[in-house]
Coordinates of all heavy atoms in Angstrom, one line a residue:
M1 N 5.8 -3.4 11.5 CA 6.2 -3.6 12.8 C 7.8 -3.2 12.9 O 8.4 -3.2 11.9 CB 6.2 -5.1 13.2 CG 6.6 -5.4 14.6 SD 6.3 -7.1 15.2 CE 4.7 -7.5 14.6
G2 N 8.2 -2.8 14.1 CA 9.6 -2.4 14.2 C 10.6 -3.6 14.3 O 10.2 -4.7 14.1
T3 N 11.8 -3.2 14.7 CA 12.8 -4.2 14.8 C 13.0 -4.6 16.2 O 13.2 -3.7 17.1 CB 14.1 -3.7 14.2 OG1 13.9 -3.3 12.8 CG2 15.3 -4.6 14.3
I4 N 13.2 -5.9 16.5 CA 13.5 -6.3 17.9 C 14.9 -6.2 18.1 O 15.7 -6.7 17.3 CB 12.9 -7.8 18.1 CG1 11.4 -7.8 18.0 CG2 13.4 -8.3 19.4 CD1 10.8 -9.1 18.0
V5 N 15.3 -5.6 19.2 CA 16.7 -5.4 19.5 C 17.0 -6.2 20.8 O 16.3 -6.2 21.8 CB 17.0 -3.9 19.8 CG1 18.4 -3.7 20.3 CG2 16.7 -3.0 18.6
H6 N 18.1 -7.0 20.7 CA 18.5 -7.8 21.8 C 19.8 -7.3 22.5 O 20.7 -7.0 21.8 CB 18.8 -9.3 21.3 CG 19.2 -10.2 22.4 ND1 20.1 -11.3 22.1 CD2 19.0 -10.2 23.7 CE1 20.3 -11.9 23.2 NE2 19.7 -11.3 24.2
S7 N 19.6 -7.0 23.7 CA 20.8 -6.6 24.5 C 20.8 -7.5 25.8 O 19.8 -8.3 26.0 CB 20.6 -5.1 25.0 OG 19.4 -4.9 25.7
E8 N 21.9 -7.5 26.5 CA 22.0 -8.4 27.6 C 20.8 -8.3 28.6 O 20.6 -7.2 29.1 CB 23.3 -8.1 28.4 CG 23.6 -9.1 29.5 CD 23.7 -10.6 28.9 OE1 24.2 -10.8 27.8 OE2 23.3 -11.5 29.7
G9 N 20.0 -9.3 28.7 CA 18.9 -9.4 29.6 C 17.6 -8.9 29.1 O 16.6 -8.9 29.8
R10 N 17.5 -8.5 27.8 CA 16.3 -7.9 27.3 C 16.2 -8.0 25.8 O 17.2 -7.8 25.1 CB 16.2 -6.5 27.7 CG 15.0 -5.8 27.1 CD 14.8 -4.4 27.7 NE 14.1 -4.6 29.0 CZ 13.6 -3.6 29.7 NH1 13.5 -2.3 29.2 NH2 13.0 -3.8 30.8
F11 N 15.0 -8.3 25.4 CA 14.6 -8.1 24.0 C 13.6 -7.0 24.0 O 12.7 -6.9 24.8 CB 13.9 -9.4 23.4 CG 14.8 -10.6 23.2 CD1 15.1 -11.4 24.3 CD2 15.4 -10.8 22.0 CE1 16.0 -12.5 24.1 CE2 16.3 -11.8 21.8 CZ 16.6 -12.7 22.8
E12 N 13.8 -6.0 23.1 CA 12.9 -4.8 23.1 C 12.5 -4.5 21.7 O 13.2 -4.6 20.7 CB 13.8 -3.7 23.7 CG 12.9 -2.4 23.9 CD 13.7 -1.4 24.7 OE1 14.4 -0.6 24.1 OE2 13.5 -1.4 26.0
L13 N 11.3 -4.0 21.7 CA 10.7 -3.6 20.4 C 10.0 -2.2 20.7 O 9.2 -2.1 21.6 CB 9.6 -4.6 20.0 CG 8.7 -4.3 18.8 CD1 9.6 -4.2 17.5 CD2 7.7 -5.4 18.6
C14 N 10.4 -1.2 19.9 CA 9.8 0.1 20.1 C 8.8 0.4 18.9 O 9.1 0.3 17.8 CB 10.8 1.2 20.1 SG 11.8 1.2 21.6
I15 N 7.6 0.7 19.3 CA 6.5 1.0 18.4 C 5.9 2.4 18.8 O 5.5 2.6 20.0 CB 5.4 0.0 18.4 CG1 5.9 -1.4 18.1 CG2 4.2 0.3 17.4 CD1 6.4 -1.7 16.7
D16 N 5.8 3.3 17.9 CA 5.3 4.6 18.1 C 5.9 5.3 19.4 O 5.2 5.8 20.2 CB 3.8 4.5 18.3 CG 3.1 4.0 17.0 OD1 3.7 4.3 15.9 OD2 2.0 3.4 17.1
G17 N 7.2 5.1 19.6 CA 7.9 5.6 20.7 C 7.6 5.0 22.1 O 8.1 5.4 23.1
Q18 N 7.0 3.8 22.0 CA 6.7 3.1 23.2 C 7.5 1.7 23.2 O 7.5 1.0 22.2 CB 5.2 2.8 23.4 CG 4.4 4.1 23.5 CD 3.0 3.8 23.8 OE1 2.6 3.3 24.8 NE2 2.1 4.1 22.8
A19 N 8.0 1.4 24.4 CA 8.8 0.1 24.4 C 8.0 -1.1 24.9 O 7.3 -1.0 25.9 CB 10.0 0.3 25.4
C20 N 8.2 -2.1 24.2 CA 7.7 -3.5 24.6 C 8.9 -4.3 24.9 O 9.9 -4.2 24.2 CB 7.0 -4.1 23.4 SG 5.7 -3.1 22.7
E21 N 8.8 -5.1 26.0 CA 10.0 -5.8 26.4 C 9.8 -7.3 26.8 O 8.7 -7.6 27.3 CB 10.7 -5.1 27.5 CG 10.0 -5.1 28.9 CD 9.0 -4.0 29.0 OE1 9.1 -3.0 28.3 OE2 8.2 -4.1 29.9
L22 N 10.8 -8.1 26.7 CA 10.9 -9.4 27.2 C 12.2 -9.4 28.0 O 13.3 -9.3 27.4 CB 10.9 -10.5 26.1 CG 11.2 -11.9 26.6 CD1 10.2 -12.4 27.5 CD2 11.4 -12.8 25.3
D23 N 12.1 -9.6 29.3 CA 13.3 -9.6 30.2 C 13.7 -11.0 30.5 O 12.8 -11.9 30.7 CB 13.1 -8.8 31.5 CG 12.8 -7.3 31.2 OD1 13.4 -6.8 30.2 OD2 12.1 -6.7 32.0
Y24 N 15.0 -11.3 30.7 CA 15.5 -12.6 31.0 C 16.7 -12.5 31.9 O 17.4 -11.5 31.9 CB 15.7 -13.5 29.8 CG 16.9 -13.0 29.0 CD1 18.2 -13.5 29.2 CD2 16.8 -12.1 27.9 CE1 19.3 -13.1 28.5 CE2 17.8 -11.8 27.2 CZ 19.1 -12.2 27.5 OH 20.2 -11.8 26.7
R25 N 17.0 -13.6 32.5 CA 18.3 -13.8 33.2 C 18.9 -15.1 32.7 O 18.2 -16.1 32.6 CB 18.1 -13.9 34.7 CG 17.5 -12.7 35.3 CD 18.4 -11.6 35.4 NE 17.8 -10.5 36.1 CZ 18.0 -9.2 35.9 NH1 18.7 -8.9 34.9 NH2 17.5 -8.3 36.6
R26 N 20.2 -15.1 32.4 CA 20.8 -16.3 32.0 C 21.5 -16.9 33.2 O 22.3 -16.2 33.9 CB 21.9 -16.0 30.9 CG 22.5 -17.2 30.2 CD 23.2 -16.8 29.0 NE 23.8 -18.0 28.4 CZ 24.3 -18.0 27.2 NH1 24.3 -16.9 26.4 NH2 24.8 -19.1 26.7
V27 N 21.3 -18.2 33.4 CA 21.8 -18.9 34.6 C 22.5 -20.2 34.1 O 21.8 -21.1 33.8 CB 20.7 -19.3 35.6 CG1 21.2 -19.9 36.8 CG2 19.9 -18.0 36.0
G28 N 23.7 -20.1 33.8 CA 24.4 -21.3 33.3 C 23.9 -21.6 31.9 O 23.9 -20.8 31.0
D29 N 23.4 -22.9 31.8 CA 22.9 -23.3 30.5 C 21.4 -23.1 30.4 O 20.8 -23.8 29.6 CB 23.3 -24.8 30.2 CG 22.7 -25.7 31.2 OD1 22.1 -25.3 32.2 OD2 22.8 -27.0 30.9
R30 N 20.9 -22.2 31.2 CA 19.4 -22.0 31.2 C 19.2 -20.5 31.0 O 20.0 -19.7 31.3 CB 18.8 -22.4 32.5 CG 18.8 -23.9 32.7 CD 18.2 -24.3 34.0 NE 18.9 -23.7 35.1 CZ 18.6 -23.7 36.4 NH1 17.4 -24.2 36.7 NH2 19.3 -23.2 37.3
V31 N 18.0 -20.2 30.4 CA 17.6 -18.8 30.4 C 16.2 -18.8 31.1 O 15.4 -19.6 30.9 CB 17.4 -18.3 28.9 CG1 16.5 -19.1 28.1 CG2 17.0 -16.8 28.9
V32 N 16.1 -17.8 32.0 CA 14.9 -17.6 32.8 C 14.2 -16.4 32.3 O 14.7 -15.3 32.5 CB 15.2 -17.5 34.3 CG1 13.9 -17.4 35.1 CG2 16.0 -18.7 34.8
F33 N 13.1 -16.6 31.6 CA 12.3 -15.4 31.1 C 11.4 -14.9 32.3 O 10.6 -15.7 32.8 CB 11.4 -15.8 29.9 CG 12.3 -16.1 28.7 CD1 12.5 -17.3 28.2 CD2 12.9 -15.0 28.0 CE1 13.2 -17.6 27.0 CE2 13.7 -15.2 26.9 CZ 13.8 -16.5 26.4
T34 N 11.7 -13.7 32.7 CA 11.1 -13.2 33.9 C 9.9 -12.2 33.7 O 9.1 -12.0 34.6 CB 12.2 -12.5 34.7 OG1 12.8 -11.4 33.9 CG2 13.3 -13.4 35.1
H35 N 9.9 -11.6 32.6 CA 8.8 -10.5 32.4 C 8.6 -10.2 30.9 O 9.5 -10.1 30.1 CB 9.2 -9.2 33.1 CG 8.4 -8.1 32.8 ND1 7.1 -7.9 33.3 CD2 8.6 -7.0 31.9 CE1 6.6 -6.8 32.8 NE2 7.5 -6.2 32.0
T36 N 7.3 -10.1 30.5 CA 6.9 -9.6 29.2 C 6.1 -8.4 29.4 O 5.1 -8.5 30.2 CB 6.2 -10.7 28.4 OG1 6.9 -11.9 28.4 CG2 5.9 -10.3 27.0
G37 N 6.3 -7.3 28.8 CA 5.5 -6.1 29.0 C 5.2 -5.4 27.6 O 6.1 -5.2 26.8
V38 N 4.0 -5.0 27.5 CA 3.5 -4.3 26.3 C 2.6 -3.2 26.8 O 1.7 -3.5 27.6 CB 2.7 -5.2 25.3 CG1 2.2 -4.4 24.2 CG2 3.6 -6.3 24.8
P39 N 2.8 -1.9 26.5 CA 2.0 -0.8 26.9 C 0.5 -1.1 26.5 O 0.3 -1.7 25.4 CB 2.6 0.4 26.2 CG 4.0 0.1 25.9 CD 4.0 -1.5 25.6
P40 N -0.4 -0.7 27.3 CA -1.8 -0.9 27.0 C -2.3 -0.5 25.6 O -3.0 -1.1 24.9 CB -2.6 -0.1 28.1 CG -1.6 -0.1 29.3 CD -0.3 0.0 28.6
A41 N -1.7 0.7 25.1 CA -2.1 1.2 23.8 C -1.7 0.2 22.7 O -2.2 0.4 21.6 CB -1.5 2.5 23.6
L42 N -0.7 -0.6 22.9 CA -0.2 -1.5 21.9 C -0.7 -3.0 22.1 O -0.3 -3.8 21.2 CB 1.4 -1.4 21.9 CG 2.0 -0.1 21.6 CD1 3.5 -0.2 21.8 CD2 1.5 0.4 20.2
Q43 N -1.4 -3.2 23.1 CA -1.8 -4.6 23.3 C -2.8 -5.1 22.3 O -3.5 -4.3 21.6 CB -2.4 -4.8 24.7 CG -1.4 -4.6 25.8 CD -1.9 -4.6 27.2 OE1 -3.1 -4.8 27.4 NE2 -1.1 -4.5 28.2
G44 N -2.8 -6.4 22.1 CA -3.7 -7.0 21.1 C -3.1 -7.1 19.7 O -3.9 -7.4 18.7
R45 N -1.9 -6.7 19.5 CA -1.3 -6.6 18.1 C -0.3 -7.8 17.9 O 0.4 -7.8 17.0 CB -0.6 -5.3 17.9 CG -1.6 -4.2 17.9 CD -1.0 -2.8 18.0 NE -0.1 -2.5 16.9 CZ 0.5 -1.3 16.7 NH1 0.2 -0.3 17.6 NH2 1.3 -1.1 15.7
G46 N -0.1 -8.7 18.9 CA 0.8 -9.8 18.8 C 2.2 -9.4 19.0 O 3.2 -10.2 18.7
L47 N 2.5 -8.3 19.7 CA 3.9 -7.8 20.0 C 4.5 -8.7 21.0 O 5.7 -9.1 20.8 CB 3.9 -6.4 20.3 CG 3.2 -5.4 19.3 CD1 3.2 -4.0 19.8 CD2 4.1 -5.5 18.0
A48 N 3.8 -9.1 22.0 CA 4.4 -9.9 23.1 C 4.8 -11.3 22.5 O 5.9 -11.8 22.8 CB 3.5 -10.1 24.3
A49 N 4.0 -11.8 21.6 CA 4.3 -13.1 21.0 C 5.5 -13.0 20.1 O 6.3 -13.9 20.1 CB 3.1 -13.6 20.1
E50 N 5.7 -11.9 19.4 CA 6.9 -11.7 18.6 C 8.1 -11.6 19.4 O 9.2 -12.2 19.1 CB 6.7 -10.4 17.7 CG 5.7 -10.4 16.6 CD 6.1 -11.4 15.6 OE1 7.3 -11.5 15.2 OE2 5.2 -12.1 15.0
L51 N 8.0 -11.0 20.6 CA 9.2 -10.9 21.5 C 9.5 -12.3 22.0 O 10.7 -12.6 22.0 CB 8.9 -9.9 22.7 CG 8.9 -8.4 22.3 CD1 8.3 -7.6 23.4 CD2 10.3 -8.0 22.0
V52 N 8.5 -13.0 22.4 CA 8.8 -14.3 23.0 C 9.4 -15.2 21.9 O 10.3 -16.0 22.2 CB 7.5 -14.9 23.6 CG1 7.7 -16.4 24.0 CG2 7.1 -14.1 24.8
M53 N 8.9 -15.2 20.7 CA 9.4 -16.0 19.6 C 10.9 -15.7 19.4 O 11.7 -16.6 19.2 CB 8.6 -15.8 18.3 CG 9.0 -16.9 17.3 SD 7.8 -16.9 15.9 CE 7.6 -15.2 15.4
S54 N 11.2 -14.4 19.4 CA 12.6 -14.0 19.2 C 13.5 -14.6 20.4 O 14.6 -15.0 20.1 CB 12.7 -12.5 19.2 OG 12.2 -12.0 18.0
G55 N 12.9 -14.4 21.6 CA 13.7 -15.0 22.7 C 13.9 -16.5 22.7 O 15.0 -17.0 22.9
L56 N 12.9 -17.2 22.2 CA 13.0 -18.6 22.1 C 13.9 -19.1 21.0 O 14.7 -20.0 21.1 CB 11.6 -19.3 21.9 CG 10.7 -19.1 23.2 CD1 9.3 -19.6 22.8 CD2 11.2 -19.9 24.3
Q57 N 13.9 -18.3 19.9 CA 14.8 -18.6 18.8 C 16.3 -18.4 19.2 O 17.1 -19.2 18.9 CB 14.5 -17.7 17.6 CG 13.3 -18.0 16.8 CD 12.8 -17.0 15.8 OE1 13.3 -15.9 15.9 NE2 12.0 -17.4 14.9
W58 N 16.5 -17.4 20.0 CA 17.8 -17.1 20.5 C 18.2 -18.2 21.5 O 19.4 -18.7 21.4 CB 17.9 -15.7 21.3 CG 19.0 -15.5 22.1 CD1 20.3 -15.2 21.6 CD2 19.2 -15.6 23.5 NE1 21.2 -15.1 22.6 CE2 20.5 -15.3 23.8 CE3 18.2 -15.9 24.5 CZ2 20.9 -15.3 25.2 CZ3 18.7 -15.9 25.8 CH2 20.0 -15.6 26.1
A59 N 17.3 -18.6 22.4 CA 17.6 -19.8 23.3 C 18.0 -21.0 22.6 O 18.9 -21.7 22.9 CB 16.4 -20.0 24.2
R60 N 17.2 -21.3 21.5 CA 17.6 -22.5 20.7 C 19.0 -22.4 20.0 O 19.8 -23.3 20.1 CB 16.5 -22.7 19.7 CG 16.7 -24.1 18.9 CD 15.6 -24.3 17.9 NE 14.2 -24.3 18.3 CZ 13.6 -25.3 18.9 NH1 14.3 -26.4 19.3 NH2 12.3 -25.2 19.2
Q61 N 19.2 -21.2 19.5 CA 20.5 -21.0 18.8 C 21.7 -21.1 19.8 O 22.7 -21.6 19.5 CB 20.5 -19.6 18.2 CG 21.8 -19.2 17.5 CD 21.8 -17.8 16.9 OE1 20.9 -17.0 17.2 NE2 22.7 -17.5 16.1
E62 N 21.4 -20.6 21.1 CA 22.5 -20.7 22.1 C 22.5 -22.0 22.8 O 23.3 -22.2 23.8 CB 22.3 -19.6 23.1 CG 22.5 -18.2 22.5 CD 23.9 -17.9 22.1 OE1 24.8 -18.2 23.0 OE2 24.1 -17.4 21.0
Q63 N 21.6 -22.9 22.4 CA 21.4 -24.3 23.1 C 21.2 -24.2 24.6 O 21.7 -24.9 25.4 CB 22.7 -25.2 22.8 CG 22.9 -25.4 21.3 CD 24.1 -26.2 21.0 OE1 25.1 -26.2 21.7 NE2 23.9 -27.1 20.0
L64 N 20.3 -23.3 25.0 CA 19.9 -23.0 26.3 C 18.5 -23.7 26.6 O 17.7 -23.8 25.7 CB 19.7 -21.5 26.6 CG 21.0 -20.7 26.4 CD1 20.6 -19.2 26.5 CD2 22.0 -21.1 27.4
K65 N 18.4 -24.2 27.8 CA 17.1 -24.7 28.3 C 16.3 -23.5 28.8 O 16.9 -22.5 29.4 CB 17.2 -25.7 29.4 CG 17.7 -27.0 28.8 CD 16.6 -27.6 27.9 CE 17.0 -29.0 27.4 NZ 15.9 -29.5 26.5
V66 N 15.0 -23.5 28.7 CA 14.1 -22.4 29.1 C 13.4 -22.7 30.3 O 12.8 -23.7 30.5 CB 13.2 -22.1 27.9 CG1 12.1 -21.1 28.3 CG2 13.9 -21.6 26.7
V67 N 13.4 -21.7 31.2 CA 12.6 -21.7 32.5 C 11.6 -20.5 32.3 O 12.0 -19.4 32.4 CB 13.5 -21.6 33.7 CG1 12.6 -21.6 35.0 CG2 14.5 -22.6 33.8
P68 N 10.3 -20.8 32.1 CA 9.4 -19.7 31.9 C 8.8 -19.1 33.2 O 7.7 -19.5 33.6 CB 8.3 -20.3 31.1 CG 8.3 -21.7 31.4 CD 9.7 -22.1 31.8
A69 N 9.6 -18.3 33.9 CA 9.1 -17.6 35.1 C 7.9 -16.7 34.9 O 7.2 -16.3 35.8 CB 10.2 -16.9 35.9
C70 N 7.9 -16.2 33.7 CA 6.8 -15.3 33.2 C 5.6 -16.1 32.8 O 5.8 -17.0 31.9 CB 7.4 -14.4 32.1 SG 6.0 -13.4 31.2
S71 N 4.4 -15.7 33.3 CA 3.3 -16.6 32.9 C 3.0 -16.4 31.4 O 2.4 -17.4 30.8 CB 2.1 -16.2 33.7 OG 1.8 -14.8 33.5
Y72 N 3.2 -15.3 30.8 CA 2.9 -15.2 29.4 C 3.8 -16.1 28.5 O 3.3 -16.8 27.7 CB 3.1 -13.7 28.9 CG 2.8 -13.6 27.4 CD1 1.5 -13.3 27.0 CD2 3.7 -13.8 26.4 CE1 1.1 -13.3 25.7 CE2 3.4 -13.7 25.1 CZ 2.1 -13.5 24.7 OH 1.7 -13.4 23.4
V73 N 5.1 -16.2 28.9 CA 6.0 -17.1 28.2 C 5.6 -18.5 28.4 O 5.5 -19.3 27.5 CB 7.4 -16.9 28.7 CG1 8.4 -17.9 28.0 CG2 7.9 -15.4 28.3
A74 N 5.2 -18.9 29.6 CA 4.7 -20.3 29.9 C 3.5 -20.6 29.0 O 3.5 -21.7 28.4 CB 4.4 -20.4 31.4
R75 N 2.5 -19.7 28.9 CA 1.3 -19.9 28.1 C 1.7 -20.1 26.6 O 1.2 -20.9 25.9 CB 0.3 -18.9 28.3 CG -0.5 -19.0 29.6 CD -1.7 -18.2 29.7 NE -1.5 -16.7 29.3 CZ -1.1 -15.8 30.2 NH1 -0.8 -16.1 31.5 NH2 -0.9 -14.6 29.8
Y76 N 2.6 -19.2 26.2 CA 3.0 -19.2 24.8 C 3.6 -20.6 24.4 O 3.3 -21.2 23.4 CB 4.0 -18.1 24.5 CG 4.4 -18.0 23.1 CD1 3.7 -17.2 22.2 CD2 5.5 -18.8 22.5 CE1 4.1 -17.1 20.8 CE2 5.8 -18.7 21.2 CZ 5.1 -17.9 20.4 OH 5.4 -17.8 19.1
I77 N 4.6 -21.0 25.3 CA 5.2 -22.3 25.0 C 4.1 -23.5 25.1 O 4.2 -24.4 24.2 CB 6.3 -22.6 26.0 CG1 7.5 -21.6 25.7 CG2 6.8 -24.0 25.9 CD1 8.6 -21.6 26.8
D78 N 3.2 -23.4 26.0 CA 2.2 -24.4 26.1 C 1.3 -24.5 24.8 O 0.9 -25.5 24.4 CB 1.3 -24.1 27.3 CG 0.3 -25.2 27.6 OD1 0.8 -26.4 27.7 OD2 -0.9 -24.9 27.8
R79 N 1.1 -23.3 24.2 CA 0.3 -23.2 23.0 C 1.0 -23.4 21.7 O 0.4 -23.6 20.6 CB -0.5 -21.8 22.9 CG -1.4 -21.6 24.1 CD -2.0 -20.3 24.0 NE -3.0 -20.1 25.1 CZ -3.3 -18.9 25.6 NH1 -2.8 -17.8 25.1 NH2 -4.2 -18.8 26.6
H80 N 2.3 -23.5 21.8 CA 3.1 -23.7 20.6 C 4.1 -24.8 20.8 O 5.3 -24.6 21.3 CB 3.9 -22.4 20.3 CG 3.0 -21.3 19.9 ND1 2.4 -20.4 20.9 CD2 2.5 -20.8 18.7 CE1 1.7 -19.5 20.3 NE2 1.7 -19.8 19.0
P81 N 3.7 -26.0 20.6 CA 4.5 -27.3 20.9 C 5.9 -27.3 20.3 O 6.8 -28.0 20.8 CB 3.6 -28.4 20.4 CG 2.4 -27.9 19.7 CD 2.4 -26.4 19.9
Q82 N 6.1 -26.5 19.2 CA 7.4 -26.6 18.6 C 8.5 -26.0 19.5 O 9.7 -26.2 19.2 CB 7.4 -25.8 17.2 CG 7.2 -24.3 17.3 CD 5.8 -23.9 17.3 OE1 4.9 -24.6 17.7 NE2 5.6 -22.7 16.8
W83 N 8.2 -25.4 20.6 CA 9.1 -24.8 21.5 C 9.3 -25.6 22.8 O 10.2 -25.4 23.6 CB 8.7 -23.4 21.9 CG 8.7 -22.5 20.7 CD1 7.6 -21.9 20.1 CD2 9.8 -22.0 19.9 NE1 7.9 -21.1 19.1 CE2 9.3 -21.2 18.9 CE3 11.1 -22.2 20.0 CZ2 10.1 -20.6 17.9 CZ3 12.0 -21.6 19.0 CH2 11.4 -20.8 18.0
Q84 N 8.4 -26.6 22.9 CA 8.4 -27.3 24.2 C 9.7 -28.2 24.5 O 10.0 -28.4 25.7 CB 7.1 -28.2 24.3 CG 5.9 -27.3 24.4 CD 4.6 -28.1 24.4 OE1 4.6 -29.3 24.4 NE2 3.5 -27.4 24.4
D85 N 10.4 -28.5 23.5 CA 11.6 -29.2 23.7 C 12.7 -28.4 24.4 O 13.7 -28.9 24.9 CB 12.2 -29.7 22.4 CG 12.6 -28.6 21.4 OD1 11.7 -27.8 21.0 OD2 13.8 -28.6 21.0
L86 N 12.5 -27.1 24.4 CA 13.4 -26.2 25.1 C 13.2 -26.1 26.6 O 14.1 -25.7 27.3 CB 13.3 -24.8 24.5 CG 13.7 -24.5 23.1 CD1 13.4 -23.1 22.7 CD2 15.2 -24.9 22.9
L87 N 12.1 -26.5 27.1 CA 11.8 -26.4 28.5 C 12.7 -27.2 29.3 O 13.0 -28.4 29.0 CB 10.3 -26.9 28.7 CG 9.2 -25.9 28.3 CD1 7.9 -26.6 28.5 CD2 9.3 -24.6 29.1
D88 N 13.1 -26.6 30.4 CA 14.0 -27.4 31.4 C 12.9 -27.9 32.4 O 12.6 -27.2 33.4 CB 14.9 -26.4 32.1 CG 15.9 -27.1 33.1 OD1 15.7 -28.3 33.3 OD2 16.8 -26.4 33.6
G89 N 12.5 -29.1 32.2 CA 11.4 -29.7 32.9 C 11.6 -29.9 34.4 O 10.7 -29.8 35.2
G90 N 12.9 -30.0 34.8 CA 13.2 -30.2 36.3 C 13.4 -28.9 37.0 O 13.7 -28.9 38.2
A91 N 13.4 -27.7 36.3 CA 13.7 -26.5 37.0 C 12.5 -25.8 37.5 O 11.5 -25.6 36.8 CB 14.4 -25.6 36.0
D92 N 12.6 -25.4 38.8 CA 11.6 -24.5 39.4 C 11.9 -23.1 39.1 O 13.1 -22.7 39.5 CB 11.5 -24.8 40.9 CG 10.5 -23.9 41.6 OD1 9.8 -23.1 40.9 OD2 10.4 -24.1 42.8
P93 N 11.2 -22.3 38.5 CA 11.5 -21.0 38.1 C 11.8 -20.1 39.3 O 12.6 -19.1 39.3 CB 10.4 -20.4 37.2 CG 9.2 -21.3 37.5 CD 9.8 -22.6 37.9
K94 N 11.2 -20.3 40.4 CA 11.3 -19.4 41.6 C 12.7 -19.3 42.1 O 13.3 -18.3 42.3 CB 10.3 -19.8 42.7 CG 8.9 -19.4 42.3 CD 8.0 -19.7 43.4 CE 6.5 -19.3 43.0 NZ 6.0 -20.0 41.9
P95 N 13.4 -20.5 42.3 CA 14.9 -20.4 42.8 C 15.7 -19.7 41.8 O 16.6 -18.9 42.1 CB 15.2 -21.8 43.0 CG 14.0 -22.6 43.2 CD 13.0 -21.8 42.4
C96 N 15.5 -19.9 40.5 CA 16.3 -19.3 39.5 C 16.1 -17.7 39.5 O 17.0 -16.9 39.4 CB 15.9 -19.8 38.1 SG 16.3 -21.5 37.8
F97 N 14.8 -17.3 39.7 CA 14.5 -15.9 39.8 C 15.2 -15.3 41.0 O 15.7 -14.2 40.9 CB 13.0 -15.7 39.7 CG 12.7 -14.2 39.6 CD1 12.9 -13.5 38.5 CD2 12.0 -13.7 40.7 CE1 12.6 -12.2 38.4 CE2 11.6 -12.3 40.6 CZ 11.9 -11.6 39.4
R98 N 15.1 -16.0 42.1 CA 15.6 -15.4 43.4 C 17.1 -15.1 43.3 O 17.6 -14.3 44.1 CB 15.3 -16.4 44.6 CG 14.0 -16.1 45.2 CD 13.8 -16.8 46.5 NE 12.5 -17.6 46.3 CZ 12.4 -18.9 46.3 NH1 13.5 -19.6 46.5 NH2 11.2 -19.4 46.2
E99 N 17.8 -15.8 42.5 CA 19.3 -15.6 42.4 C 19.6 -14.2 42.0 O 20.7 -13.7 42.2 CB 19.9 -16.5 41.3 CG 19.9 -18.0 41.8 CD 20.5 -18.9 40.7 OE1 21.4 -18.4 40.0 OE2 20.1 -20.1 40.7
F100 N 18.6 -13.5 41.5 CA 18.9 -12.1 40.9 C 18.1 -11.1 41.7 O 18.1 -9.9 41.3 CB 18.5 -12.1 39.4 CG 19.3 -13.0 38.6 CD1 18.9 -14.3 38.3 CD2 20.6 -12.7 38.3 CE1 19.6 -15.2 37.6 CE2 21.4 -13.6 37.5 CZ 20.9 -14.8 37.2
E101 N 17.4 -11.4 42.7 CA 16.6 -10.4 43.5 C 17.6 -9.6 44.4 O 18.6 -10.1 44.8 CB 15.5 -11.0 44.3 CG 14.5 -11.6 43.4 CD 13.3 -12.2 44.1 OE1 13.5 -12.7 45.3 OE2 12.2 -12.2 43.5

């Protein structure tokens, strides 16, 4: 597997010249994960999960609360209880996302 690169607003992993990404927006002390994308040819290899895990590790390190506006991120956290303490339980992801539209 390749190396996950973190730049402002995105975690990215390139495999065979194709980019997989996890996009986010930082809003104060929260991070809103907005999109996870993996090209069809690379799906089923656990790449999205690797990206989300990297994003969640970063959020924990930065002491951010997580708002999973992306359905994949929400399902990942639901299936991996070790990350559930990061959830910002009172935040509705839609208003956070609209701040950047």
Side-chain angles (χ1 to χ4, degrees):
M1 186 173 320
T3 301
I4 295 174
V5 176
H6 180 206
S7 58
E8 186 61 34
R10 175 172 279 195
F11 289 86
E12 186 171 86
L13 174 62
C14 287
I15 304 288
D16 299 331
Q18 298 184 70
C20 308
E21 70 273 342
L22 169 64
D23 294 330
Y24 70 88
R25 300 287 187 216
R26 192 166 177 168
V27 183
D29 65 347
R30 295 181 291 172
V31 58
V32 182
F33 289 110
T34 58
H35 169 75
T36 306
V38 175
L42 300 176
Q43 291 177 0
R45 295 169 57 177
L47 301 174
E50 290 294 323
L51 287 165
V52 171
M53 189 168 51
S54 290
L56 294 172
Q57 288 171 341
W58 168 77
R60 189 180 302 283
Q61 180 181 11
E62 295 291 314
Q63 298 180 326
L64 300 172
K65 286 296 187 180
V66 170
V67 180
C70 167
S71 61
Y72 183 87
V73 175
R75 281 193 312 274
Y76 184 90
I77 293 172
D78 189 51
R79 293 177 180 159
H80 297 88
Q82 68 269 29
W83 300 110
Q84 292 176 3
D85 64 301
L86 294 177
L87 288 173
D88 185 353
D92 178 1
K94 290 183 177 61
C96 296
F97 186 66
R98 271 190 234 116
E99 291 179 29
F100 299 97
E101 291 183 332

